[in-house]
């Protein structure tokens, strides 16, 4: 067999983005994946829970894919990937038959939030393109952006990331609606990392692409990347676990779509001690437990518009969510854990089969938890959707401790592949100016443990691939157009 120029370890969106970029530049690329299926955090599989019903194994909703410069260049739509956009990006039910609803229409959202509508507009009604350039950069270079837009975004993060977060809100609906988005960071509340998450995703919710759901599931994005890679000579090998250097084919460069821990375990002996120690010191965060449900009807949300949302944050008031998330940070299980819910059939009728439909949920738990959270999640949803139990046909829980069985990057159930701390926000995975370079020529990291962090955006892989190309004397990255 012809020796590859580059071996990519891991076939998540970042690994495939790197592989596609390198193959299009004319390099011989081999991708190694430990699982029997490719895609990492973007896979859609039949779990055997109900005939014809498929489930998104990890990610399900993709505002980052729409916003990503990589996918904009790759042009998912022209490759047959339909990003279906719900009219309601996300919703947040509260007690007493109330709810916060983030419509794609910013002005409608502002109007329904009443007295807090103006505050909402000031926080997430800004320039989405500027927010993307700031938040999805490599965290080392200065993004080209209107300074006023960057300042507004930064001041919003400082406000919502500190105890000043309630200073301007009057009611409880708008702060709860924003905090549900902040909780995607799985960190203490308030925190700078959580605030950055909230303002980026909150801004995207009102942008043209909203919070889209791919028709047929997240695997559609992976399928488009794989098709392009193979069209340019790339090779994919599944069921190929890389535990040690002997598991790697000989190549000029290695690109790891893995955590720093895996890179150190496999090639740490090749990396200079100081660089190796810095990678080994990378911190992992708290976790999520996954519950996949099969339903025989829609979730009976008390507030009708909640059922129009592709994503629902189930956590109660801002104070309740802060208590639950801070309990997790202390290593405790919350009685009513912060729960993320996605119902793809809201926009994609093809996900329903024989009267059955999938419901995707994540509940936040301490790292390494082996607790089955099915009952806790069911009880929490029932608070805002009485009768939910009656539409559940079957379910399956994957405790946090076992998520890494399906994706090795989820250390102890950390689906963000790294703690969302202020230090790791700007020094991810280390303080090195080139965050993708391991410290040894020919060895790179490109996973969610690198900038810009978690999300199906492919940017860690794209940025790393541009760095790798320079080792081959290729200074201009290739076109990604179909």
């Amino acid at each position: 067999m012809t020796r590859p120029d580059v071996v990519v370890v891991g076939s998540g969106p970042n690994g495939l983005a790197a592989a596609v970029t390198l193959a299009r530049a004319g390099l011989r690329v081999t991708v190694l994946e430990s699982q029997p299926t490719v895609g990492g955090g973007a896979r859609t599989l039949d779990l055997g829970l109900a005939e014809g019903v498929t489930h998104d194994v990890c990610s399900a909703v993709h505002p980052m894919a729409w916003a990503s410069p990589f996918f904009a260049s790759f042009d998912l739509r022209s490759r047959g990937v339909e990003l279906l956009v719900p009219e309601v990006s996300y919703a947040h039910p509260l007690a007493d038959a109330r709810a916060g609803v983030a419509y794609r229409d910013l002005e409608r959202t502002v109007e329904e939030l009443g007295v807090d509508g103006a505050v909402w507009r000031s926080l997430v009604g800004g320039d989405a393109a500027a927010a993307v350039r700031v938040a999805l950069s490599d965290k080392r270079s200065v993004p080209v952006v209107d300074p006023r837009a960057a300042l507004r975004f930064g001041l919003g993060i400082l406000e919502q990331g500190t105890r000043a977060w309630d200073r301007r809100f009057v009611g409880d609906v708008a702060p709860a609606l924003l905090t549900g988005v902040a909780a995607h960071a799985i960190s203490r509340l308030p925190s700078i990392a959580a605030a950055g998450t909230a303002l980026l995703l909150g801004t995207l919710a009102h942008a043209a692409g909203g919070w889209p759901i791919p028709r047929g599931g997240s695997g559609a994005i992976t399928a488009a990347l794989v098709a392009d890679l193979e069209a340019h000579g790339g090779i994919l090998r599944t069921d190929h676990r890389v535990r040690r250097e002997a598991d790697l084919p000989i190549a000029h460069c290695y690109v790891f779509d893995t955590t720093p821990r895996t890179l150190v375990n496999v090639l740490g002996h090749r990396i200079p001690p100081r660089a190796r120690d810095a990678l080994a010191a990378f911190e992992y965060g708290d976790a999520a437990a996954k519950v996949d449900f099969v339903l025989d009807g829609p979730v009976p949300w008390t507030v009708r518009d909640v059922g129009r949302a592709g994503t629902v944050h189930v956590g109660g008031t801002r104070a309740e969510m802060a208590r639950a998330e801070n309990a997790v940070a202390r290593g405790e299980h919350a009685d009513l854990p912060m729960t993320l819910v996605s119902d793809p059939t809201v926009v994609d009728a093809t996900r329903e089969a024989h009267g059955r439909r999938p419901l995707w949920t994540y509940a936040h738990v301490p790292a390494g938890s082996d607790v089955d959270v099915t009952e806790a999640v069911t009880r929490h949803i029932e608070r805002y959707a009485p009768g939910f139990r009656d539409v559940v046909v079957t379910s399956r829980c994957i405790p946090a401790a076992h998520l890494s069985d399906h994706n090795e990057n989820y250390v102890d159930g950390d689906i963000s592949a790294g703690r969302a701390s202020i230090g790791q926000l700007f020094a991810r995975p280390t303080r090195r100016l080139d965050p993708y370079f391991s410290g040894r020529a020919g060895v790179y990291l490109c996973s969610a443990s690198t900038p810009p962090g978690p999300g199906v955006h492919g940017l860690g892989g794209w940025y790393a691939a541009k760095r790798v190309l320079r080792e081959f004397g290729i200074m201009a990255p290739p076109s990604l157009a179909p």
Side-chain angles (χ1 to χ4, degrees):
M1 296 179 63
T2 303
R3 178 181 297 181
D5 296 309
V6 182
V7 170
V8 178
V9 180
S11 69
N14 284 310
L16 290 176
V20 162
T21 304
L22 297 168
R24 278 177 163 260
L27 301 180
R28 296 183 297 271
V29 179
T30 295
V31 178
L32 306 179
E33 170 56 52
S34 64
Q35 295 291 318
T37 55
V38 299
R43 288 181 290 160
T44 305
L45 301 176
D46 184 343
L47 303 180
L49 298 180
E51 182 183 356
V53 176
T54 59
H55 300 260
D56 291 311
V57 177
C58 302
S59 59
V61 184
H62 299 285
M64 297 289 202
W66 170 80
S68 166
F70 168 78
F71 280 121
S73 299
F74 188 71
D75 195 354
L76 286 170
R77 177 179 294 181
S78 71
R79 299 170 187 278
V81 179
E82 293 184 72
L83 295 179
L84 307 173
V85 185
E87 182 182 357
V88 176
S89 294
Y90 59 91
H92 194 108
L94 290 164
D96 305 321
R98 297 178 302 141
V101 181
Y103 300 93
R104 282 184 55 210
D105 184 338
L106 174 64
E107 294 309 315
R108 182 177 179 183
T109 305
V110 167
E111 180 181 352
E112 293 202 4
L113 289 175
V115 67
D116 285 325
V119 179
W120 187 266
R121 182 189 287 109
S122 74
L123 289 170
V124 299
D127 183 350
V132 166
R133 282 193 290 270
V134 172
L136 298 187
S137 72
D138 63 6
K139 303 299 192 293
R140 304 299 192 275
S141 56
V142 178
V144 179
V145 62
D146 181 343
R148 292 169 299 178
L151 179 62
R152 176 180 176 175
F153 187 64
L155 289 176
I157 291 173
L158 286 175
E159 174 190 303
Q160 291 301 304
T162 65
R163 289 297 175 185
W165 67 341
D166 279 329
R167 179 174 58 86
R168 291 193 291 159
F169 286 117
V170 176
D172 61 350
V173 175
L177 186 61
L178 189 63
T179 305
V181 189
H184 282 246
I186 316 183
S187 72
R188 289 185 180 274
L189 293 174
S191 74
I192 294 297
T197 299
L199 297 197
L200 172 63
L201 296 180
T203 300
L204 292 178
H206 301 301
W211 283 21
I213 295 174
R215 186 181 297 279
S218 298
I221 296 174
T222 295
L225 289 166
V226 168
D228 191 84
L229 174 63
E230 293 181 336
H232 291 85
I235 296 171
L236 274 162
R237 297 183 189 170
T238 56
D239 290 310
H240 189 114
R241 190 177 300 276
V242 176
R243 294 190 179 93
R244 58 188 71 84
E245 184 176 9
D247 298 324
L248 293 169
I250 296 174
H252 180 76
C253 277
Y254 299 96
V255 182
F256 281 72
D257 181 15
T258 70
T259 63
R261 180 178 298 182
T262 297
L263 173 58
V264 169
N265 288 342
V266 176
L267 289 179
H269 60 285
R270 287 195 178 194
I271 299 172
R274 181 175 295 180
R276 181 182 64 238
D277 292 346
L279 289 168
F282 184 76
E283 296 182 348
Y284 301 89
D286 287 308
K290 179 83 182 299
V291 184
D292 289 296
F293 291 96
V294 174
L295 312 181
D296 62 8
V299 178
W301 301 109
T302 300
V303 178
R304 180 178 179 182
D305 275 2
V306 174
R308 298 166 61 194
T311 302
V312 180
H313 301 130
V314 180
T317 65
R318 168 170 274 190
E320 287 176 317
M321 286 181 279
R323 283 196 295 272
E325 293 295 84
N326 294 341
V328 167
R330 294 192 301 270
E332 303 168 5
H333 286 83
D335 290 336
L336 293 171
M338 183 67 212
T339 301
L340 279 63
V341 178
S342 176
D343 183 353
T345 56
V346 167
V347 287
D348 185 3
T350 69
R351 299 296 295 277
E352 185 171 336
H354 309 291
R356 302 289 189 262
R357 56 200 285 166
L359 189 76
W360 175 106
T361 72
Y362 267 142
H364 296 173
V365 296
S369 167
D370 62 359
V371 172
D372 184 327
V373 298
T374 304
E375 175 56 28
V377 168
T378 302
R379 187 170 67 249
H380 208 178
I381 294 175
E382 278 263 341
R383 291 178 73 191
Y384 310 105
F388 172 64
R389 293 179 189 275
D390 298 332
V391 300
V392 174
V393 176
T394 189
S395 63
R396 184 194 76 164
C397 177
I398 305 177
H402 298 290
L403 280 182
S404 60
D405 296 343
H406 303 270
N407 188 329
E408 289 185 36
N409 288 2
Y410 297 163
V411 175
D412 289 331
D414 174 8
I415 60 174
S416 297
R419 183 178 300 280
S421 65
I422 185 65
Q424 291 194 167
L425 186 63
F426 295 102
R428 189 180 183 101
T430 68
R431 293 192 296 270
R432 184 180 293 277
L433 287 177
D434 182 349
Y436 312 101
F437 182 54
S438 71
R440 168 67 184 261
V443 181
Y444 297 85
L445 193 66
C446 77
S447 68
S449 300
T450 67
V456 177
H457 44 60
L459 291 171
W462 196 35
Y463 295 152
K466 292 178 182 180
R467 175 67 177 83
V468 172
L469 287 174
R470 295 203 292 270
E471 285 214 13
F472 292 88
I474 302 172
M475 306 311 293
S479 168
L480 298 173

